Amino acid sequence: MTTTCPLDCFDGCSVKVGDNLKLSGDKSHPITQGFLCPNLNNFHKFERITKPRLNGKEISLKEAIEIIKKESKKRTLFFKGSGNLGIMQNITKLFFDKHGADFTTGSLCDSAGDYGIEEGRGVSLALSPNEVSKSDVVIFWGRNPLATNSHMLPFIKGKQIVVIDPYKTDLAKKADLHLQLKPRSDIYLAMLMSRMAYMDRMEDEEFIEKRTENFEEFLDFINSHPMVFLESRCDVDMIKIDKFLSLIKGKKVSILVGVGVQKYSFGHSVLRAIDSFGAMIGIFGKEGCGVGYLGESSLGFKNPFLTKSNKVPLPTVDFSKYEFVFIQGANPARQMPCSLKVREKLKNAGFVAYFGLYENETSKLANLVIPAKNFLEKDDLKLTYGHEYVGFMPKISDSEIGISEYELTKMLGIELKSEKDYIDEVVSSNSFLRDGWHISKSYESTPYKDKFYTQSGKFEFFDDFDDDWDEERINEGFYLLSAKKNNSLNSQFCTDKYLYVPTSLGLNDGSKVVLSNGVYECEYIVKNDENLREDCFLLYSGHKDANILTPFEISQEGNCAIFNEVKCKIISS
Ligand SMILES: Nc1nc2c(c(=O)[nH]1)N[C@H]1C(S)=C(S)[C@@H](COP(=O)(O)OP(=O)(O)OC[C@H]3O[C@@H](n4cnc5c(=O)[nH]c(N)nc54)[C@H](O)[C@@H]3O)O[C@H]1N2
Ligand SMILES: Nc1nc2c(c(=O)[nH]1)N[C@H]1C(S)=C(S)[C@@H](COP(=O)(O)OP(=O)(O)OC[C@H]3O[C@@H](n4cnc5c(=O)[nH]c(N)nc54)[C@H](O)[C@@H]3O)O[C@H]1N2
Ligand code: SF4
Ligand SMILES: [Mo]
């Protein structure tokens, strides 16, 4: 049998399920080509929640469902994370929408950057490995494919590689060029690149004339910043930028951007600035070219689970204001910024239900815990944010454990069509067949070949942004970066234990330090890392204390968490 990996990832691997539910890669899949990452390879090793419980005492599923019915009559919040990205995961919203619960808007993930892309291009289309394979130069800008997008790697073989990242990733070590910029400065780098490219006559006049708006204002804006100021903000030598420009001049260029660049208050403007650089050199709508971010995976597909109830910004949602909080597929007590505040708010909520696969900080805080079925035990469909292939996820095995999102919704009294009907409806709304694979119609031709999706139908250059950090804030203390790790998926699977520090501090591996952000403090175990800039610390997403010091704040646009918008000091070591 064949299914698709449900995890939050660019790749959307096609998975073969063998005897004893052994999982292996599907060699026939055009993108994922037969291998899986450590997370799915070890999927069965992780202990699941097996029984529903109320305040620590085992109860039956029937009792659990009666409790949800009763609690949902009160002021309710429905909170969903990204533990499983299948579209059927959203069906539970039908019940909560009917009961007038609040939902969330925005994300802990990519929504700041997404907002900026929508401002410039209308929608965010993924840059598929199929397209990247036709490029000459591939730029990884705040994206680390070795950990988060490994199925891109076969498609970039033999190409020139540029990495733009404050951390010297393993890919950066092998790349033709690594721009190890200061964190939070990508916007300044993009502006400097644009200025220098213009001086070098690299702008695509025809593209700018026919397909864009606001170019003159963009030029005025980037020219209003002295080049030495831009250079000092991003801490990248202009000689290196010259080298970068000569590397890409006249070439087919793909820029693959990750979430790293936009975990900041003005994250939307960062993506807009990178896009503006791309538009200026004319890399949209052409084969083997483009700027790709996390694509809007369900673009063009019908959504059978639309809600009409009130929505509150997700990263700063106040759980304590609700009498009932229903948490599905998420671990907010670890993954939301400012964990201590979040945990306090969860404790002060009237009644908390957690619906998931694994025990975690959130399940420990919940009154009611309900085990979910895993992706092999229910019917679903995966639309991924990294490429155009539709991933089917048929039910493959039976299990005594847990309940699916579909069954739960049904038992809560909502009249539903069959799972197959929903899935068929979604698939048929926006897909076509190519070589036996279902492909999203949104990718029938090269992204943005015929149009941008803005009101004008043209790309809109940016001409302003708002950064409220002054030199003092920029120069004090250490940046606290976060990134993703190979063998964990956020808080799932094997999470990391260390705070990575620059070797110049002379700390010993295994020693303890206490960091402070001025409000909160936290003790960490140190590991030296020569790949870090001297002004940075690094914690991997999923570390148990990854979010003790991250700010309870939201991006200017897009209602996104801004994990890296923080400076820290060592207060004891
Ligand atoms: N194995 C694995 N795969 C995953 C995940 C996982 O947890 N584990 N998570 C999934 C999820 S939820 C997502 S959203 C994607 C994210 O995929 P990516 O965007 O690739 O993930 P990150 O590791 O958060 O960020 C990438 C890089 O941004 C860098 N960075 C940090 N700050 C800055 C900055 O200011 N500027 C620049 N230029 N770079 C910066 C980091 O050093 C890091 O190398 O990955 C998905 N895939
Ligand atoms: N410091 C820091 N914090 C971060 C990040 C960072 O880079 N740094 N990254 C952020 C990003 S990009 C993201 S996307 C978020 C992710 O944060 P979350 O959305 O909280 O994701 P996970 O930590 O993967 O936890 C998902 C949970 O879903 C449950 N689950 C898995 N499969 C299913 C299923 O089929 N059904 C149900 N009902 N439950 C299931 C599992 O029990 C698991 O514990 O974290 C964010 N937090
Ligand atoms: S997490 Fe990503 S790379 Fe790993 S198996 Fe799933 S889709 Fe593939
Ligand atoms: Mo994410």
Side-chain angles (χ1 to χ4, degrees):
M1 294 281 280
T2 309
T3 183
T4 305
C5 172
L7 300 175
D8 186 342
C9 176
F10 288 97
D11 293 355
C13 287
S14 183
V15 182
K16 288 280 179 202
V17 186
D19 293 344
N20 297 321
L21 301 179
K22 187 173 165 27
L23 307 178
S24 59
D26 171 5
K27 293 199 173 71
S28 70
H29 193 273
I31 302 286
T32 62
Q33 302 183 349
F35 71 95
L36 305 174
C37 74
N39 292 321
L40 214 62
N41 277 329
N42 295 307
F43 188 76
H44 295 305
K45 292 191 185 144
F46 297 90
E47 201 181 324
R48 293 166 66 178
I49 302 173
T50 53
K51 297 278 194 304
R53 58 176 197 265
L54 176 67
N55 297 323
K57 274 180 67 184
E58 213 175 277
I59 57 170
S60 70
L61 260 176
K62 257 202 170 132
E63 287 168 312
I65 281 157
E66 287 312 311
I67 296 168
I68 299 175
K69 278 188 187 164
K70 188 176 106 225
E71 293 295 329
S72 61
K73 297 198 169 91
K74 303 179 189 158
R75 180 149 196 238
T76 301
L77 173 74
F78 175 87
F79 183 102
K80 184 177 167 297
S82 57
N84 177 333
L85 289 191
I87 60 119
M88 291 300 287
Q89 300 303 296
N90 294 301
I91 199 164
T92 40
K93 291 180 181 170
L94 295 178
F95 170 79
F96 290 96
D97 198 40
K98 191 175 166 203
H99 285 76
D102 276 2
F103 290 85
T104 59
T105 178
S107 74
L108 301 178
C109 181
D110 63 333
S111 55
D114 198 47
Y115 189 98
I117 288 183
E118 284 177 17
E119 281 180 323
R121 320 181 202 160
V123 299
S124 173
L125 289 171
L127 194 55
S128 161
N130 285 332
E131 208 55 54
V132 176
S133 69
K134 298 174 207 149
S135 316
D136 304 314
V137 186
V138 184
I139 302 163
F140 290 92
W141 197 326
R143 185 191 298 192
N144 180 17
L146 261 47
T148 65
N149 189 195
S150 55
H151 294 82
M152 183 61 91
L153 299 173
F155 294 83
I156 60 165
K157 278 221 175 92
K159 303 187 184 305
Q160 296 215 281
I161 304 296
V162 179
V163 171
I164 305 177
D165 198 307
Y167 186 80
K168 197 188 285 172
T169 59
D170 287 343
L171 186 65
K173 289 176 197 165
K174 290 189 276 181
D176 296 276
L177 186 65
H178 176 208
L179 305 180
Q180 196 169 9
L181 80 177
K182 201 190 259 294
R184 201 180 178 274
S185 74
D186 301 83
I187 197 162
Y188 300 99
L189 179 66
M191 285 162 68
L192 186 54
M193 281 175 175
S194 303
R195 262 192 87 159
M196 291 175 66
Y198 190 69
M199 286 160 66
D200 208 8
R201 311 296 307 267
M202 282 173 70
E203 77 278 15
D204 183 335
E205 280 176 20
E206 192 191 343
F207 179 83
I208 293 169
E209 169 67 27
K210 290 201 179 125
R211 305 222 33 209
T212 73
E213 296 266 6
N214 214 36
F215 182 63
E216 288 304 319
E217 290 80 354
F218 168 68
L219 272 189
D220 288 346
F221 181 64
I222 57 171
N223 286 331
S224 68
H225 296 71
M227 285 168 70
V228 284
F229 165 79
L230 297 173
E231 186 187 39
S232 85
R233 272 284 161 114
C234 62
D235 198 19
V236 180
D237 206 313
M238 280 192 246
I239 297 170
K240 274 207 155 174
I241 299 179
D242 248 339
K243 193 171 167 203
F244 168 75
L245 293 174
S246 43
L247 208 88
I248 65 169
K249 200 170 184 174
K251 301 275 176 60
K252 287 187 183 170
V253 178
S254 287
I255 305 181
L256 296 170
V257 190
V259 293
V261 303
Q262 55 93 67
K263 295 172 176 174
Y264 303 100
S265 55
F266 53 89
H268 70 296
S269 299
V270 180
L271 262 298
R272 190 101 186 267
I274 295 172
D275 267 5
S276 293
F277 171 70
M280 178 178 150
I281 59 169
I283 58 172
F284 284 105
K286 294 175 188 159
E287 200 173 75
C289 292
V291 183
Y293 181 56
L294 287 75
E296 196 183 319
S297 52
S298 56
L299 183 74
F301 287 91
K302 182 172 177 189
N303 177 0
F305 312 124
L306 276 176
T307 59
K308 49 187 186 314
S309 297
N310 184 41
K311 292 186 176 59
V312 295
L314 186 144
T316 50
V317 63
D318 187 349
F319 293 115
S320 68
K321 279 184 16 198
Y322 294 91
E323 291 168 283
F324 178 36
V325 176
F326 186 88
I327 297 170
Q328 177 186 318
N331 183 11
R334 186 183 287 201
Q335 291 305 111
M336 272 174 79
C338 202
S339 303
L340 297 180
K341 190 180 254 188
V342 168
R343 289 172 199 166
E344 203 48 44
K345 285 179 181 294
L346 272 171
K347 280 181 201 151
N348 290 326
F351 187 90
V352 176
Y354 166 85
F355 178 33
L357 284 183
Y358 310 118
E359 299 289 1
N360 53 36
E361 289 81 354
T362 309
S363 71
K364 281 178 202 134
L365 285 173
N367 303 91
L368 178 68
V369 173
I370 306 162
K373 291 230 178 279
N374 73 24
F375 77 111
L376 299 167
E377 302 159 351
K378 57 196 176 195
D379 285 304
D380 212 326
L381 182 78
K382 170 107 177 259
L383 305 168
T384 149
Y385 52 80
H387 58 69
E388 66 273 39
Y389 293 79
V390 173
F392 290 88
M393 304 165 82
K395 177 175 167 185
I396 287 177
S397 76
D398 274 314
S399 158
E400 296 287 295
I401 299 175
I403 182 166
S404 73
E405 290 66 20
Y406 176 86
E407 287 168 71
L408 180 75
T409 312
K410 209 167 186 179
M411 286 179 72
L412 286 167
I414 301 293
E415 224 173 275
L416 299 175
K417 298 183 222 176
S418 73
E419 288 158 290
K420 187 177 174 306
D421 283 350
Y422 285 115
I423 291 168
D424 286 351
E425 187 182 15
V426 175
V427 174
S428 65
S429 68
N430 194 47
S431 70
F432 68 101
L433 274 175
R434 187 168 76 203
D435 306 328
W437 298 92
H438 283 80
I439 310 281
S440 160
K441 273 191 190 156
S442 309
Y443 295 87
E444 263 179 313
S445 62
T446 308
Y448 311 104
K449 184 162 181 246
D450 307 314
K451 63 171 180 195
F452 287 98
Y453 300 75
T454 50
Q455 260 184 351
S456 60
K458 295 184 174 180
F459 178 83
E460 313 251 354
F461 281 95
F462 95 123
D463 61 12
D464 201 9
F465 73 101
D466 181 15
D467 176 0
D468 59 6
W469 279 29
D470 55 19
E471 293 295 326
E472 196 188 329
R473 180 113 198 245
I474 288 170
N475 294 320
E476 73 178 354
F478 293 80
Y479 291 91
L480 182 60
L481 301 181
S482 50
K484 315 289 188 193
K485 194 119 173 86
N486 286 41
N487 41 10
S488 60
L489 212 123
N490 296 311
S491 74
Q492 301 186 80
F493 316 121
C494 300
T495 56
D496 195 64
K497 292 195 198 67
Y498 301 103
L499 172 78
Y500 295 84
V501 302
T503 49
S504 56
L505 287 177
L507 296 168
N508 290 327
D509 281 354
S511 65
K512 290 182 176 159
V513 294
V514 179
L515 295 193
S516 165
N517 64 5
V519 184
Y520 294 95
E521 292 171 8
C522 187
E523 185 179 82
Y524 293 98
I525 306 170
V526 164
K527 206 168 198 178
N528 281 286
D529 190 341
E530 60 191 15
N531 303 310
L532 276 170
R533 283 173 55 101
E534 292 200 352
D535 53 2
C536 296
F537 296 137
L538 171 70
L539 284 169
Y540 285 104
S541 177
H543 181 294
K544 74 178 177 39
D545 295 325
N547 284 308
I548 305 291
L549 302 175
T550 53
F552 196 75
E553 283 170 37
I554 203 157
S555 57
Q556 290 164 8
E557 299 292 351
N559 294 311
C560 193
I562 48 176
F563 294 103
N564 293 6
E565 186 97 338
V566 60
K567 281 298 203 58
C568 290
K569 287 189 176 139
I570 295 183
I571 54 167
S572 78
S573 62

